């Protein structure tokens, strides 16, 4: 959980054999988000990556990777499953080489839908920056994932919805779920 993870200490170590890494819960400070790129740069054998963390309004959409990673992340050649909640369409994570990726989930968890509909009744310190269909399309176009067989996307309809559906149906020949 993000609330108890000692990311500032974990990032000091190298994790050359980690195959699965997951963070969930909520970002408590911008500092937590800033160490994730460096942490991931030390996990070259990842096969499963899940980052499902609630974001404060101050952070809005938090990038998983940016150009600040030291050393920079060149790709995840063994990654097979990627789950990102409330992704930033400009995240450096998406164009990285992931030739073996079979599962991609761009989702909205944890969910705060009641707040979206009843802002005057429910006060939430967390943002729910659900992707627009056009933003989702921009992410998918940046991913070269020829083996993708499972795709989950959560997005709000906008003018790019029809194009997103056409792209998904034509770009992923192995899609089964």
């Amino acid at each position: 959980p993000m609330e108890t993870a000692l990311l500032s200490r974990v990032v000091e170590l190298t994790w050359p054999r980690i195959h699965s890494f997951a963070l969930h819960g909520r970002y408590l400070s911008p500092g937590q988000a800033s160490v994730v790129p460096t942490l991931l740069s030390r996990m070259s054998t990842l096969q499963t990556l899940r980052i499902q963390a609630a974001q404060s309004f101050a952070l809005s959409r938090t990038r998983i990777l940016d150009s600040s990673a030291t050393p920079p992340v060149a790709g995840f050649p063994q990654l097979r499953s990627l789950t990102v909640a409330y992704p930033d369409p400009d995240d450096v994570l998406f164009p990285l080489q992931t030739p073996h990726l079979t599962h991609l989930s761009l989702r909205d968890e944890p969910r705060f839908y009641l707040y979206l509909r009843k802002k005057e009744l429910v006060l939430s310190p967390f943002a729910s920056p659900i992707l627009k269909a056009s933003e989702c399309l921009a992410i998918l176009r940046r991913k070269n994932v020829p083996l993708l067989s499972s795709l989950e996307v959560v997005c709000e309809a906008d003018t790019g919805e029809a194009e997103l559906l056409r792209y998904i149906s034509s770009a992923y020949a192995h899609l089964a779920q």
Side-chain angles (χ1 to χ4, degrees):
M2 295 292 291
E3 296 88 347
T4 60
L6 298 173
L7 294 180
S8 61
R9 296 184 105 182
V10 172
V11 77
E12 295 171 0
L13 305 170
T14 300
W15 302 90
R17 297 182 61 176
I18 293 289
H19 288 213
S20 182
F21 183 72
L23 286 174
H24 60 87
R26 55 194 171 149
Y27 287 102
L28 298 177
S29 71
Q32 282 181 305
S34 68
V35 299
V36 172
T38 304
L39 179 61
L40 293 178
S41 74
R42 298 167 188 257
M43 298 180 172
S44 60
T45 60
L46 275 179
Q47 294 178 11
T48 302
L49 176 60
R50 286 187 5 232
I51 300 192
Q52 297 170 257
Q55 302 168 49
S56 71
F57 283 104
L59 296 173
S60 188
R61 285 186 176 154
T62 303
R63 291 183 183 174
I64 306 303
L65 289 180
D66 58 28
S67 57
S68 72
T70 307
V73 177
F76 293 107
Q78 298 178 38
L79 195 66
R80 298 205 173 8
S81 178
L82 175 62
T83 300
V84 180
Y86 304 112
D88 183 326
D90 297 322
D91 199 312
V92 175
L93 174 67
F94 297 118
L96 287 180
Q97 295 299 310
T98 53
H100 299 289
L101 195 72
T102 59
H103 172 76
L104 176 61
S105 177
L106 306 173
R107 57 180 307 141
D108 60 334
E109 188 174 321
R111 295 180 171 123
F112 299 102
Y113 294 135
L114 183 60
Y115 173 74
L116 291 174
R117 293 186 140 279
K118 306 277 186 189
K119 290 182 183 181
E120 68 281 357
L121 299 177
V122 179
L123 297 176
S124 173
F126 302 107
S128 298
I130 296 172
L131 289 173
K132 302 285 187 209
S134 55
E135 293 172 321
C136 186
L137 178 61
I139 290 173
L140 294 178
R141 283 186 170 152
R142 294 172 69 196
K143 290 293 309 159
N144 180 16
V145 286
L147 302 177
L148 195 69
S149 62
S150 173
L151 176 65
E152 175 186 28
V153 295
V154 175
C155 59
E156 292 185 47
D158 69 359
T159 57
E161 182 181 22
E163 189 176 355
L164 171 64
L165 294 174
R166 277 192 300 276
Y167 182 80
I168 290 171
S169 69
S170 66
Y172 306 118
H174 300 287
L175 202 60
Q177 294 183 12

